[in-house]
Amino acid sequence: MDMVLSAPKVLTGAGEWIPDGAVRVRDGLIAAVGDRASVIADAPGSVARFGFPRCTILPGLIDAHVHLAFDTGPEAQATAANTPDAVLGMRMAGRARMLLAAGVTTVRDLGDRDGLAIRLRDEIAEGTVAGPRIVAAGTPITITGGHCWQLGGEADGEVALRRAVRRLVRDGADLVKVMVTGGGITPDGPPPWRTQFTERELAVVVAEAARFGCPVAAHAHGVEGIELAVRAGVHSVEHASWLTEAGGRDLRLDVVADLAARGVWVCPTVSARWRSSRERLGAAEFEAYLDRLRTMRAHGVRMIAGTDAGVLGAPFESFVDGLEGFREAGFPVQEIIEMATARAAEALGIGDSTGRIATGMAADLLVVEGDPLAEISDLREVRMVIAAGRAYRPDPQADHDGVMPL
């Protein structure tokens, strides 16, 4: 679709904004961006024009940590494991539409089963299904009986780990996800603080993945797991909860410094759950949680936005709630938006094609009423979403948050 969108403000995603700006979309790409008068003057009269007074145009949002196979219920993992492929695939497509309706045009899916997210990724790319671009990890690698073992990614020892990586590559995964520590949603599995693999085993995963050009994302709640993952050379650390065996938290500044020095991305999976944390944890522990985010930022750790959507308390439609968690911690709004656009795209390895509004980039755009630089909550006021050049509007008639094509 060839069209021009104009609004009082266009955020390019690179720390800049254009007053009274416009963006031209053609053949799925951004053909022009600049002041409204110039962009419109250069477009043929046959091009569709959409003016949005009182609105802002910005890059489509990126949720860097989702699980489309999970239903946000208390037994999400077991439900995903036991649901027939055809049924689960349809539910995953519905969740993808929910994300799109919330302005999310790219997601990184960090754990499903049987290649279902990879299949959905391809259907969305082909245009047969509406949804955000998916960067898919496939089935996460874990130990026998380890975190998320029900998804089918058990592997013990170096030989099995190499085979597991090659299987993911063969299935078409964009990256490799490894469960460095236990987690909270696997009944009878290792606790979140416990490390599941040795540093040598993690290095084998990283090296084998690198042979095929795949980065490695490390699920790591425990302090030891975070440290081993960083030393093994992973691309990103997910959660980074800094848990100890004693049940506390230990933000090790030497590990933080190593994270920053090696340029490892951290996705702390801040979701809507932060709102209930103040009451659940108490004021002092909640402030300590926020302070851990501040400390990582202050030491130069590269952080991106992701919600763990699909697990209990992290709905697919609540991406902006997670961004407001960073705002609660005192992060500047412009920085938060970059964590959810340009920075996230760079971390996902797609920064040359999305995450910014620039000529030649993919037409992944979001139009919201208001000015999110002034009020980040304005990101909820979605008026139009464009994903890979295909335009959608929120569908108020849907049973859940959905989208309808123009």
Side-chain angles (χ1 to χ4, degrees), residues 17 19 76 131 137 206 215 262 342:
W17 60 277
V206 171
R262 294 173 183 256

Side-chain angles (χ1 to χ4, degrees), residues 9 29 99 102 162 250 252 259 328 401 406:
K9 180 175 286 188
L29 300 175
L99 284 156
R162 289 192 180 94
D250 182 13
R252 290 250 314 269
L259 280 164
E328 182 77 6
D401 285 340
L406 292 184

Side-chain angles (χ1 to χ4, degrees), residues 356-381:
R356 294 178 292 114
I357 300 179
T359 302
M361 301 286 279
D364 297 327
L365 304 169
L366 171 61
V367 182
V368 298
E369 187 161 348
D371 180 3
L373 284 181
E375 294 289 344
I376 198 167
S377 61
D378 285 348
L379 289 173
R380 291 191 183 86
E381 305 304 321

Side-chain angles (χ1 to χ4, degrees), residues 131-150:
R133 174 191 293 99
I134 297 176
V135 177
T139 304
I141 298 174
T142 192
I143 61 173
T144 296
H147 184 45
C148 288
W149 67 269
Q150 293 167 303

Side-chain angles (χ1 to χ4, degrees), residues 108 110 137 140-141 161 165 168-169 174-180 197 201-219 228-230 232-238 263-266 347-348:
R108 184 176 54 156
L110 288 181
I141 298 174
L161 289 170
V165 171
L168 289 167
V169 172
D174 299 302
L175 73 156
V176 171
K177 168 80 174 295
V178 59
M179 299 301 199
V180 178
F197 296 102
E201 289 172 327
L202 294 174
V204 165
V205 171
V206 171
E208 192 67 16
R211 288 182 56 214
F212 302 98
C214 285
V216 174
H219 163 103
L228 296 185
V230 174
V234 302
H235 181 74
S236 70
V237 171
E238 311 300 312
V264 178
W265 294 96
V266 171
L348 272 56

